[in-house]
Amino acid sequence: MDKYSFLNAANTQFFADLYDQYLENPDSVEASWRAFFQGFDFARESYGENFFEIESSEQTSRTIPVETPQEVAIPLSGKVEKELRVLNLIKAYQQYGHLFAQIDPLKERKTTVVSLDLESFGLSKADLNTVFDAAKELQLEPSTLSVILKKLQDTFTQTIGIEFEHLDSPEERKWFQSKLYSKSFTADFSKEEKVRILKKIAESTTLENFFHNKYVGQKRFSLEGNEAVIPALDALIETATDQKEVKEVVIGMAHRGRLNVLINILGKNLQDVFSEFDGKDYENPEFDGDVKYHLGLTTLHTTEKGGEVILNLAPNPSHLETVSAVLQGITRAKQDNHYKENPSKVLPIVVHGDAAVSGQGIVYEVMQMERLRGYKTHGTIHIVINNQIGFTTNPSDSRSTTYCTDIAKGFQIPILHVNADDTEAVVRVMLLALDYRMTFGQDIFLDVIGYRKYGHNEGDEPRFTQPALYKLIGNHSNPTVIYTEKLVNQGIISAKEIEAYEENYRNHLDTELEASRLKDLTIINPIMQNEWKGFDHIASQQDMLLRVDTSFEREKLDALASLITTLPEDKKFINKITKIIRERHNLYFEQQKVDWGMAEHLAFATLLAEGHDVRLSGEDVGRGTFSHRHAVVKVEDTEEEIIPLTRIKNEGGGGTFYVYNSLLSEYGVLGFEYGYALSSPQTLTIWEAQFGDFANGAQIMIDQYISCGEDKWKNQSGLVMLLPHGYEGQGAEHSSARLERYLQLCASQNMFVTNCTTPANLYHLLRRQLKAPFRKPLIALSPKSLLRHPLVISSVEELTNGHFQEVLDDTQVNPEEVTTLVFCSGRFYYDLLAEREKLDRRDVALVRIEQLFPLPTEQLKETIARYPNITDYVWAQEEPKNMGAYGYMLMNFDMVKWRVAAMDAYAAPAPGSPMRHKARHQEAIDKVFLAI
């Protein structure tokens, strides 16, 4: 290495920081540095920017050539040169020390990427006894190089590896330097603290052994090999509550270690856990439940010092990282609803697996969301339970990076790696992570590198695929044994004392197991019932079909309409937006009518006026994909955002309107909004897809949470999904919202699926979401071309006095004359209506089923009874026969014998050719009006 490498790019930031300090206050830097910078300034000002092109020499002074007419020699003190070399060494340890850290409990690490040898920095063993002022960088008095070197090795190359030099923020880098070199970071834990740590890790291992012996071969996804996570989480929660004033903790994790966290951190009732292991049935026959290692819990935890904190562990399916997004939504809702002035009081924690955190794309999406105004949660502590294996896949086949956490570097997130065998080190870095999050409100990663004692689950044979690794694991002492021996050797506790504690804990487990055997059923408690007071009842399908009063007083509606259709007169807007808002105003007040966009705004406005919050999120929702919404309008010159709906809160009280254009994400954002709705039943939470088919990018969230969260975990959710849908010649994409997929998921009482055709019905549908005494997800297919269709208009009276109508009968025909009764849904109705007018077919009635699930059977029977002379019943849809609602109607619509009018079955939802689309669409229409 060049002996002047201390002047290379690796030290740019250090020199820049120190030089900035010198420029601000020359006396604040050490005397030799001050002299150096004075010479630096003189040379640069006198001889140009190239004065630092140094020639190599072994002399104690150096000649620095500059490209000037005169050669000038600038002496560079040998002392300063050596100081710079030591500073270069310090910088290298800060940047690369983690590569040399002994963070793998099973084997020695080797690296050939960089060298930290003294010789690489122009130093040698002869310098070890030389005193250097550079020691001040390590919060030491001027010290010998040997002392400096030991400090660096102890800080960066033992059982903790720290990555923070990639951070752009000088403040954050300096913070880490201050913390890592401080005596408080390296200070020994007190005797009491060590005993608590030992007891918590002993509980962790004892619990796993108990399960292993009592329930042989049952899946539990043991934490063994990473048990230190339990005392670390315990210390985190105690410290966060007592010192940082955290009021709620929201945890999301996959199944590895979940049972241990539920019991030893959240204090889950052991009898309930054992009932789950015993496979008992549930008390409610309509509730299907989930496997024990997927369940969540909410508890009120009292710390050792008497502080109280609410702990929430969100349920999670086997789709490992999905919960990362859900818990962010839960956290944000709690922050918005309860801690708006100090959102850091809600602390989100995500526990990842090593293969999942590097392999699952949603991790990227969630981290991308963290600093966005609509989704930030003021810092998440990410904990990786690093087994060094993914199911049967080695790290070399599961990632292209050195660490599983390297993705975090792209988001300016610091990373702390720690050896899971060093229990105190795991606790230490956990507390450092908490301190960082509370100081900066940013994410931080903690990579706890251990192993898993068994296979992916307790029934797997890991030696099939990793025989050498499992030979090492089989001969390795567990972290509890290692830490027990350490404390016994230190005289902190005797072997008999800890054995007695473990025996008492086992006896407690035995007692609870015997008590659980006296119970016949398994009890499952939904999470966050503190947020769901008044919603104890899970609605049946019959409840879902009951009429809900969604009317609103006319005088108040007029006032709201005026408020949201008036733009500030002192600001200039583009002519088009001024025209749109004015026309919206005139349509309401002059014609007493509303279009789709106005009906939607009034639904929001009335709910806000009644004290509810409304949150609207998704790609381009401020304007709306089809320019129909304009919830956010921009001042022409400044792009200042004007949100008329916020005036309701500003001028008369009421709820808060949140509207956020999301990042280009469906999976992460839909998961976030589901979590938000899960924690905020009094908020109308809406996610809108840019086009309905974009929702398939979030299919896991739909399949594993939205459609079945209530059935698996008893969690109600009022999330609304608005999915633009309609066959209008736009090709295979952007035509279909894949209605068939949602209807296939429908069963019992799990969610609403609608395809509305009038603004009034949309208005009442949205209001019903919050006026009903229960919450269900709503899948609402929404229009595109209908947003401006001249017939898609409703009267103001329909808003004030009406209600949601699951079925819209045909009021334009005489039932006695009708022989063909057509049932349809959505925009296809208007195409059929136009064709009927064109053919002048008064013998055909068009009945719109606005709500497909639950199917309004009684209303349909009443409608059918109005037509006494029907010889031809038809289900008509614009989607191909293998898509849309046809299959669902075959299973559920059995009141009459009917035929289908639809396109033939196709692989793609629609053709790319507009001409072919038009021809196929007409074929479907023609089938409706066939003479029978």
Side-chain angles (χ1 to χ4, degrees):
M1 181 179 285
D2 176 60
K3 63 182 66 180
Y4 291 99
S5 64
F6 59 87
L7 297 175
N8 70 15
N11 289 293
T12 300
Q13 190 61 56
F14 171 77
F15 293 134
D17 292 346
L18 197 59
Y19 186 58
D20 288 344
Q21 182 181 337
Y22 161 78
L23 291 176
E24 186 173 344
N25 181 8
D27 293 332
S28 67
V29 300
E30 195 269 342
S32 60
W33 277 111
R34 188 162 59 249
F36 176 76
F37 286 131
Q38 287 169 348
F40 180 91
D41 285 346
F42 173 78
R44 188 172 62 176
E45 291 169 7
S46 301
Y47 306 109
E49 295 290 342
N50 296 324
F51 80 100
F52 247 129
E53 294 178 1
I54 306 173
E55 290 183 344
S56 177
S57 173
E58 293 299 320
Q59 301 172 6
T60 56
S61 64
R62 301 287 179 255
T63 299
I64 304 176
V66 291
E67 296 178 4
T68 63
Q70 182 180 2
E71 288 281 328
V72 178
I74 299 177
L76 182 62
S77 163
K79 171 67 173 172
V80 171
E81 178 189 328
K82 282 293 180 94
E83 292 282 358
L84 285 171
R85 290 175 176 176
V86 175
L87 286 168
N88 199 30
L89 176 68
I90 292 171
K91 188 75 170 181
Y93 267 89
Q94 290 175 178
Q95 188 165 0
Y96 301 116
H98 62 91
L99 295 172
F100 298 83
Q102 297 308 306
I103 52 179
D104 189 334
L106 299 177
K107 53 188 177 296
E108 291 289 319
R109 295 184 74 206
K110 297 179 181 179
T111 179
T112 58
V113 178
V114 294
S115 172
L116 294 180
D117 296 339
L118 292 177
E119 291 74 18
S120 299
F121 301 89
L123 300 167
S124 69
K125 292 182 179 179
D127 298 309
L128 289 173
N129 294 322
T130 303
V131 174
F132 291 98
D133 289 336
K136 294 177 181 178
E137 290 294 307
L138 310 182
Q139 298 185 21
L140 299 172
E141 294 298 319
S143 305
T144 63
L145 179 59
S146 61
V147 171
I148 292 171
L149 193 59
K150 185 176 187 308
K151 177 74 171 179
L152 291 171
Q153 290 171 344
D154 289 347
T155 304
F156 296 107
T157 67
Q158 298 304 311
T159 55
I160 299 174
I162 302 170
E163 296 185 85
F164 67 92
E165 282 291 327
H166 59 281
L167 304 179
D168 286 344
S169 168
E171 181 186 5
E172 292 181 35
R173 290 199 308 276
K174 288 178 181 177
W175 184 89
F176 270 105
Q177 291 171 20
S178 173
K179 290 290 180 180
L180 296 176
Y181 298 138
S182 69
K183 292 181 180 179
S184 61
F185 181 68
T186 56
D188 207 11
F189 289 107
S190 68
K191 177 181 178 179
E192 294 74 20
E193 289 170 332
K194 289 185 177 185
V195 170
R196 183 179 177 94
I197 292 169
L198 177 58
K199 287 181 177 179
K200 293 306 292 185
I201 196 170
E203 289 173 6
S204 174
T205 301
T206 302
L207 179 71
E208 297 291 357
N209 288 334
F210 187 86
F211 284 146
H212 193 67
N213 292 325
K214 297 292 184 179
Y215 296 98
V216 178
Q218 274 211 43
K219 288 183 183 180
R220 70 179 191 276
F221 298 96
S222 161
L223 188 59
E224 289 163 279
N226 265 291
E227 295 100 316
V229 168
I230 295 298
L233 276 173
D234 174 68
L236 171 74
I237 291 167
E238 296 282 313
T239 305
T241 305
D242 295 333
Q243 298 181 22
K244 306 296 185 180
E245 298 183 345
V246 168
K247 298 300 182 184
E248 290 210 43
V249 176
V250 184
I251 305 172
M253 65 184 299
H255 37 264
R256 177 72 57 198
R258 173 179 285 264
L259 291 171
N260 216 312
V261 170
L262 278 167
I263 294 167
N264 288 318
I265 297 298
L266 280 85
K268 181 168 181 174
N269 186 301
L270 281 164
Q271 295 181 32
D272 291 343
V273 176
F274 293 136
S275 291
E276 292 160 15
F277 268 98
D278 288 335
K280 297 173 186 175
D281 201 358
Y282 305 106
E283 76 280 12
N284 187 340
E286 295 183 354
F287 170 67
D288 283 337
D290 201 356
V291 291
K292 51 192 171 290
Y293 42 81
H294 286 173
L295 301 176
L297 188 67
T298 294
T299 58
L300 179 63
H301 174 74
T302 302
T303 68
E304 196 173 49
K305 294 182 179 179
E308 289 189 341
V309 61
I310 297 173
L311 304 180
N312 305 278
L313 177 62
N316 189 51
S318 290
H319 297 67
L320 306 175
E321 292 291 343
T322 53
V323 76
S324 301
V326 174
L327 92 89
Q328 296 297 331
I330 293 172
T331 301
R332 177 59 179 262
K334 290 179 177 292
Q335 291 172 339
D336 284 348
N337 293 336
H338 308 303
Y339 305 100
K340 194 168 287 188
E341 299 303 316
N342 189 357
S344 289
K345 287 182 180 292
V346 185
L347 172 64
I349 300 170
V350 184
V351 184
H352 306 269
D354 52 312
V357 75
S358 59
Q360 298 288 299
I362 194 171
V363 179
Y364 168 89
E365 293 186 32
V366 171
M367 285 194 287
Q368 188 68 268
M369 295 158 73
E370 174 52 33
R371 300 185 188 185
L372 304 179
R373 62 192 178 102
Y375 310 93
K376 68 186 300 183
T377 53
H378 300 271
T380 297
I381 295 177
H382 299 262
I383 303 167
V384 179
I385 294 179
N386 192 334
N387 300 310
Q388 306 191 66
I389 189 172
F391 205 156
T392 65
T393 305
N394 290 318
S396 58
D397 290 321
S398 64
R399 63 176 184 263
S400 299
T401 57
T402 302
Y403 298 112
C404 63
T405 54
D406 280 343
I407 186 176
K409 293 179 182 177
F411 295 92
Q412 298 291 300
I413 298 173
I415 305 160
L416 312 174
H417 307 279
V418 61
N419 188 319
D421 271 0
D422 190 341
T423 302
E424 287 185 12
V426 178
V427 175
R428 196 179 304 280
V429 293
M430 185 74 85
L431 296 178
L432 180 65
L434 172 65
D435 200 1
Y436 173 84
R437 186 269 180 178
M438 300 305 292
T439 301
F440 294 102
Q442 305 287 5
D443 284 18
I444 185 168
F445 266 80
L446 174 57
D447 180 20
V448 186
I449 302 172
Y451 53 90
R452 68 180 191 212
K453 185 175 180 180
Y454 307 105
H456 176 67
N457 63 64
E458 287 65 32
D460 275 349
E461 174 50 83
R463 290 174 297 177
F464 285 156
T465 50
Q466 279 82 21
L469 175 65
Y470 272 84
K471 185 175 289 186
L472 291 174
I473 293 172
N475 295 325
H476 193 77
S477 297
N478 72 49
T480 302
V481 170
I482 294 170
Y483 192 52
T484 298
E485 290 177 355
K486 177 180 178 180
L487 294 198
V488 169
N489 291 336
Q490 291 178 356
I492 300 294
I493 195 170
S494 69
K496 288 185 177 180
E497 286 177 290
I498 190 60
E499 286 172 5
Y501 183 81
E502 291 172 338
E503 182 64 25
N504 286 337
Y505 188 67
R506 274 192 297 271
N507 290 338
H508 171 60
L509 295 174
D510 267 322
T511 301
E512 293 296 299
L513 175 61
E514 291 306 313
S516 75
R517 297 268 161 90
L518 301 177
K519 297 181 178 180
D520 296 326
L521 299 171
T522 298
I523 306 297
I524 302 296
N525 295 308
I527 66 170
M528 296 186 298
Q529 286 308 287
N530 55 315
E531 303 283 9
W532 285 83
K533 292 177 181 177
F535 293 93
D536 300 329
H537 174 61
I538 291 182
S540 67
Q541 189 170 132
Q542 290 70 33
D543 295 329
M544 295 170 71
L545 288 166
L546 293 176
R547 181 168 297 175
V548 176
D549 182 9
T550 52
S551 61
F552 196 81
E553 186 180 332
R554 175 61 184 265
E555 186 177 344
K556 292 181 179 178
L557 191 68
D558 289 347
L560 292 173
S562 178
L563 201 62
I564 65 176
T565 58
T566 306
L567 295 176
E569 294 182 358
D570 60 340
K571 300 182 186 297
K572 187 176 185 301
F573 302 89
I574 65 170
N575 292 334
K576 283 185 178 180
I577 194 63
T578 303
K579 182 174 181 289
I580 289 169
I581 302 300
R582 183 173 61 247
E583 288 177 347
R584 193 175 281 176
H585 181 93
N586 294 340
L587 183 65
Y588 183 95
F589 287 101
E590 294 179 7
Q591 300 182 45
Q592 308 293 300
K593 296 181 184 297
V594 296
D595 61 8
W596 199 276
M598 185 60 172
E600 182 190 73
H601 270 72
L602 288 172
F604 297 160
T606 54
L607 290 170
L608 291 166
E610 291 170 334
H612 298 285
D613 290 348
V614 175
R615 177 182 168 92
L616 175 62
S617 165
E619 294 152 18
D620 313 297
V621 296
R623 187 203 72 178
T625 299
F626 311 101
S627 294
H628 85 285
R629 179 171 292 124
H630 299 290
V632 180
V633 296
K634 297 290 186 73
V635 177
E636 183 173 1
D637 298 327
T638 64
E639 292 199 4
E640 175 191 355
E641 290 189 348
I642 303 297
I643 305 175
L645 282 163
T646 60
R647 293 177 183 161
I648 296 167
K649 184 177 182 66
N650 296 339
E651 297 189 15
T656 302
F657 181 63
Y658 303 102
V659 54
Y660 300 110
N661 282 349
S662 74
L663 65 160
L664 194 63
S665 155
E666 290 81 38
Y667 190 5
V669 174
L670 182 58
F672 186 103
E673 301 306 336
Y674 171 80
Y676 198 101
L678 204 62
S679 187
S680 193
Q682 296 296 352
T683 298
L684 181 65
T685 305
I686 300 174
W687 176 76
E688 182 177 59
Q690 192 178 79
F691 289 87
D693 57 318
F694 281 16
N696 59 24
Q699 198 65 47
I700 291 173
M701 291 299 178
I702 298 163
D703 290 348
Q704 309 306 132
Y705 288 92
I706 294 169
S707 67
C708 57
E710 183 180 277
D711 191 46
K712 293 195 295 187
W713 310 311
K714 288 188 178 178
N715 292 331
Q716 295 187 61
S717 167
L719 177 69
V720 178
M721 293 174 59
L722 294 181
L723 307 177
H725 174 81
Y727 281 64
E728 293 160 359
Q730 295 194 51
E733 279 68 62
H734 309 338
S735 290
S736 176
R738 296 290 191 174
L739 172 63
E740 62 277 3
R741 293 183 178 176
Y742 300 98
L743 292 175
Q744 185 183 44
L745 294 171
C746 288
S748 188
Q749 65 267 351
N750 63 334
M751 58 187 178
F752 291 107
V753 177
T754 64
N755 193 4
C756 295
T757 59
T758 72
N761 238 9
L762 171 73
Y763 168 87
H764 291 292
L765 178 66
L766 293 175
R767 284 184 51 76
R768 186 180 72 173
Q769 278 299 101
L770 293 191
K771 303 303 288 184
F774 55 83
R775 296 290 179 265
K776 299 285 183 182
L778 167 61
I779 312 300
L781 273 65
S782 58
K784 297 179 292 184
S785 64
L786 296 193
L787 297 171
R788 293 173 185 80
H789 195 290
L791 295 181
V792 185
I793 298 291
S794 297
S795 69
V796 173
E797 185 178 357
E798 289 179 89
L799 273 56
T800 57
N801 299 325
H803 56 85
F804 179 71
Q805 299 182 69
E806 290 85 354
V807 177
L808 291 176
D809 198 358
D810 196 332
T811 60
Q812 301 179 33
V813 294
N814 180 352
E816 299 288 337
E817 298 177 1
V818 174
T819 57
T820 297
L821 186 57
V822 180
F823 298 92
C824 62
S825 188
R827 69 165 298 284
F828 198 40
Y829 163 77
Y830 291 98
D831 294 336
L832 297 178
L833 182 63
E835 187 73 7
R836 185 176 73 179
E837 295 301 312
K838 173 184 170 184
L839 299 175
D840 193 23
R841 290 286 298 274
R842 314 313 297 172
D843 60 331
V844 177
L846 304 174
V847 175
R848 287 167 276 176
I849 302 179
E850 301 279 285
Q851 179 173 290
L852 290 158
F853 189 87
L855 195 65
T857 305
E858 294 304 315
Q859 293 185 46
L860 287 170
K861 287 179 179 177
E862 292 173 7
T863 302
I864 292 169
R866 289 187 61 244
Y867 297 89
N869 300 314
I870 302 300
T871 58
D872 182 25
Y873 293 97
V874 182
W875 166 254
Q877 65 178 44
E878 60 181 340
E879 302 88 353
K881 189 181 292 186
N882 58 322
M883 302 177 195
Y886 174 46
Y888 167 79
M889 296 300 283
L890 278 173
M891 290 191 295
N892 295 279
F893 187 43
D894 57 2
M895 288 159 270
V896 293
K897 187 175 181 180
W898 50 271
R899 63 184 176 88
V900 64
M903 288 189 283
D904 292 338
Y906 293 103
S913 162
M915 184 176 293
R916 180 173 293 184
H917 155 75
K918 187 175 180 180
R920 286 184 182 174
H921 195 66
Q922 188 60 46
E923 286 175 14
I925 294 172
D926 291 343
K927 289 177 183 178
V928 172
F929 295 95
L930 284 173
I932 300 298

